[in-house]
């Protein structure tokens, strides 16, 4: 539950077919927002999220787009505006986690990770800004990771993409704050999703004694959306870990 009314708002959640993105989409819909569920390949999963929202009396659509490509993002935002209205809330959740050691990391691995995890946030943000500026209101939340600050378990390319996302967050926040647009990040570590590949053994590293749930990340996103004074900040969700 978000504790707020988003019934007049349209939300676009990038990478929302499963995991954290799906939980965010469901949470925002529960608060009354019309939600665009973006996906790249998992049409069935995205349709299932939309069906759950519609079954609960909400309004949602599934929209396919590779958000690492500028032309695809432009079409995505146009489709959302036509079907639901201009985007008020953007959650940049699209991501890829290619596990590589330092000696195994290739240039293609690095480029793909930066494109999907970081460039997509830039492209989607740029695409929704005109409409947000026109209404003097907008909320942008970037889904980062504890890997932006700690060593992480995926690889240096992933570290770089998430650290860049938090830099992007602060940069946009400083430049958009006077236009009624806030930009924040939520940085979860060790959340029990498909991306973690069932690595529940990693819970031993967490002082709380368990991995986080996607719904808990969604709660943090909802909290950020409801706070018009907070901008340029990163909310860390890690079960008590200093670094991971």
């Amino acid at each position: 539950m978000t504790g707020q009314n988003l019934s007049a708002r349209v939300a676009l959640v990038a990478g929302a077919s499963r995991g954290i993105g799906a939980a965010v989409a469901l949470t925002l819909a529960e608060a009354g927002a019309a939600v665009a569920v973006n996906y790249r390949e998992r049409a069935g999963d995205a349709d299932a999220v939309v069906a759950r929202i519609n079954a609960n009396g909400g309004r949602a659509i599934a929209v396919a787009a590779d958000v690492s490509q500028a032309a695809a993002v432009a079409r995505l935002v146009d489709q959302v505006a036509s079907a639901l209205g201009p985007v008020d809330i953007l959650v940049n959740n699209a991501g890829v986690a290619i596990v590589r050691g330092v000696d195994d990391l290739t240039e293609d691995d690095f480029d793909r990770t930066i494109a999907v995890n970081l460039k997509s946030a830039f492209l989607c943000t740029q695409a929704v800004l005109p409409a947000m500026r026109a209404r003097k209101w907008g909320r942008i939340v970037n889904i980062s990771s504890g890997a932006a600050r700690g060593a992480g378990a995926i690889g240096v390319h992933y570290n770089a993409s998430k650290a860049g996302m938090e830099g992007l967050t602060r940069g946009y926040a400083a430049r958009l704050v006077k236009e009624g647009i806030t930009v924040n990040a939520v940085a979860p570590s060790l959340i029990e999703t498909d991306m973690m590949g069932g690595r529940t053994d990693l819970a031993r590293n967490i002082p709380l004694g368990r991995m986080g749930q996607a719904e808990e990340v969604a709660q943090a996103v909802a909290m950020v959306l409801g706070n018009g004074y907070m901008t340029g900040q990163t909310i860390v969700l890690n079960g008590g870990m200093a670094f991971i």
Side-chain angles (χ1 to χ4, degrees), residues 194-212:
D194 291 346
M195 181 178 282
M196 291 305 300
R199 292 293 307 277
T200 53
D201 59 297
L202 293 174
R204 66 177 180 272
N205 299 322
I206 306 172
L208 185 61
R210 66 169 177 84
M211 298 179 77

Side-chain angles (χ1 to χ4, degrees), residues 29 44-45 55 59 61 74 80 83 88 98 118 121 132 154 159 163 193 225:
D45 291 339
R59 192 158 63 109
I61 60 169
V80 176
D88 300 292
I98 306 169
L118 179 57
M132 289 183 177
I154 295 170
N159 295 117
T193 65
L225 294 178

Side-chain angles (χ1 to χ4, degrees), residues 179-193:
E179 300 185 70
I181 302 167
T182 67
V183 188
N184 292 285
V186 171
S189 291
L190 298 182
I191 306 301
E192 196 170 341
T193 65

